Amino acid sequence: MPRSPDHVFILAPLRGVTELCFRQAFCAHMNGLDRAVAPFIATVPGDRVKPELLRGIDPEVQPAGLPLTPQVIGKDPAQLRVMLRAMKALGYVDVDLNAGCPWPFVAKKGRGAGLLRDEYTLCAMLEAGCDELGEGHFSLKVRLGLDDASLLPKRLPAILQFPLRELCVHPRTARQMYTGTVDLEAFAAVAEACTLPLVYNGDLCTPADFARLSSRFPSIHRWMIGRGVVANPFLVESLRAQADTRDWARFHAWHADLFARFAAEAPGDHALLGRLKELWAYLAPTFVNGGSLWNALKITRTRAEFERVLALAAPLRWSGRGETCV
């Protein structure tokens, strides 16, 4: 599929979802994404990084055709430098810093979205990242703030001092988590003030969403999509084709492939069901009677039960034009 010169579509770093298995299966059966940001890897004390921490970004097993940017989370510039050097040793030249994770146990420790609370530490992290990687190779993913949307505008002048590759903004606060509505007015204010390449991320789940957002923000050409792609793996190629490209044969092949990869990586029913339920929490609402299907799937206790519920639900039918955004 030819790439549009106007828009870049980036797979979001959904921890526990858009991991290596998901990216591999996606590239084997689907199209449309230009690149991906990997779910975050936490910085660690010491002067070395254990190889197992980097297994998910091992270049040897990444799918062809989907350039990957690793993401780091932390608040110690010295630890960040150690992690970036380990990633550079693997051949990566671009790395992203997570200043957007909304989970309270992360943010309360000054990491993720909590990094915005302390301008000194935020700037120290950006300085370390830009110094280690060079101009235009370190990027930042943020939210609007912790409890309200006033924090990012306060931090933006400091952020713009650094030669970042791009700034990705999810227009929610950490308190919102993934609920409520995105604050497009606040995003518009950030976009007007931002002199860095800007990426929009949040509630882009359908062609209608993209039409509305791209019309409202004509200067935005970089779009990060997470939940929308997980719920509908055909989404980005449908955006490019300007037509519904969903196909049952490819969906079943993709799902069977992903199921097999999960099973190989997470032997045992408990671990496998954890991965499958995480996936189907996004998939189920896109189907007719998806609520009932999800209620049945989430209480299964064995792989056999899970497969039986899916078999009994067949044939699945997509709900309308897939307008549900989970």
Side-chain angles (χ1 to χ4, degrees), residues 9-52:
F9 295 103
I10 308 162
L11 181 65
L14 293 183
R15 193 162 179 80
V17 183
T18 59
E19 309 276 358
L20 177 61
C21 285
F22 184 91
R23 300 193 302 270
Q24 290 173 327
F26 183 93
C27 289
H29 303 277
M30 305 294 172
N31 296 292
L33 290 167
D34 293 288
R35 51 187 168 99
V37 176
F40 69 71
I41 299 173
T43 59
V44 292
D47 58 2
R48 63 181 296 271
V49 177
K50 293 181 179 179
E52 53 264 33

Side-chain angles (χ1 to χ4, degrees), residues 259-260 263 269 272-273 276 301-308:
F259 195 120
D269 282 6
L272 175 59
L273 285 177
L276 290 171
R301 296 184 178 181
T302 66
R303 172 177 176 169
E305 286 181 16
F306 193 95
E307 291 179 309
R308 184 161 54 250

Side-chain angles (χ1 to χ4, degrees), residues 254-292:
W254 167 77
H255 185 266
D257 188 359
L258 188 52
F259 195 120
R261 292 177 191 274
F262 282 166
E265 189 176 80
D269 282 6
H270 180 75
L272 175 59
L273 285 177
R275 300 295 298 275
L276 290 171
K277 290 178 182 180
E278 186 87 33
L279 174 71
W280 273 89
Y282 295 96
L283 283 175
T286 67
F287 295 106
V288 173
N289 298 322
S292 299

Side-chain angles (χ1 to χ4, degrees), residues 234-251:
F234 299 92
L235 175 60
V236 178
E237 63 181 69
S238 293
L239 295 180
R240 294 189 184 280
Q242 298 184 16
D244 190 342
T245 64
R246 288 177 298 180
D247 170 75
W248 279 114
R250 272 205 295 155
F251 178 84

Side-chain angles (χ1 to χ4, degrees), residues 42-275:
T43 59
V44 292
D47 58 2
R48 63 181 296 271
V49 177
K50 293 181 179 179
E52 53 264 33
L53 281 178
L54 306 175
R55 185 176 297 121
I57 62 167
D58 181 354
E60 296 297 322
V61 295
Q62 300 308 313
L66 187 64
L68 184 68
T69 300
Q71 187 182 75
V72 179
I73 193 169
K75 62 177 182 179
D76 185 311
Q79 292 181 9
L80 175 62
R81 288 180 182 273
V82 172
M83 182 62 73
L84 293 180
R85 289 166 187 166
M87 291 175 171
K88 287 195 294 183
L90 291 176
Y92 289 101
V93 296
D94 299 311
V95 179
D96 186 70
L97 176 64
N98 182 315
C101 179
W103 291 100
F105 68 89
V106 173
K108 286 180 180 179
K109 295 180 179 179
R111 302 183 302 162
L115 191 58
L116 286 177
R117 185 185 293 115
D118 183 346
E119 182 175 328
Y120 176 83
T121 301
L122 173 64
C123 289
M125 293 290 282
L126 294 178
E127 181 177 14
C130 290
D131 181 56
E132 283 292 332
L133 296 175
E135 182 174 339
H137 292 286
F138 197 49
S139 57
L140 179 67
K141 188 174 189 297
V142 297
R143 288 199 170 215
L144 294 173
L146 297 171
D147 298 316
D148 59 60
S150 67
L151 189 52
L152 179 57
K154 293 176 182 176
R155 298 288 178 259
L156 193 58
I159 293 169
L160 296 180
Q161 295 177 25
F162 296 92
L164 299 174
R165 180 190 190 191
E166 61 192 17
L167 175 66
C168 180
V169 177
H170 182 133
R172 279 188 174 90
T173 63
R175 180 182 290 276
Q176 285 182 276
M177 297 290 288
Y178 298 97
T179 62
T181 59
V182 289
D183 189 339
L184 297 183
E185 292 297 327
F187 180 83
V190 171
E192 184 176 357
C194 187
T195 55
L196 292 167
L198 191 60
V199 182
Y200 176 89
N201 171 226
D203 286 14
L204 202 174
C205 300
T206 68
D209 292 334
F210 181 67
R212 183 178 67 256
L213 289 165
S214 58
S215 176
R216 179 161 184 180
F217 303 111
S219 65
I220 302 297
H221 301 288
R222 304 184 190 195
W223 308 90
M224 181 174 283
I225 313 178
R227 293 176 293 163
V229 169
V230 179
N232 174 12
F234 299 92
L235 175 60
V236 178
E237 63 181 69
S238 293
L239 295 180
R240 294 189 184 280
Q242 298 184 16
D244 190 342
T245 64
R246 288 177 298 180
D247 170 75
W248 279 114
R250 272 205 295 155
F251 178 84
H252 285 302
W254 167 77
H255 185 266
D257 188 359
L258 188 52
F259 195 120
R261 292 177 191 274
F262 282 166
E265 189 176 80
D269 282 6
H270 180 75
L272 175 59
L273 285 177
R275 300 295 298 275

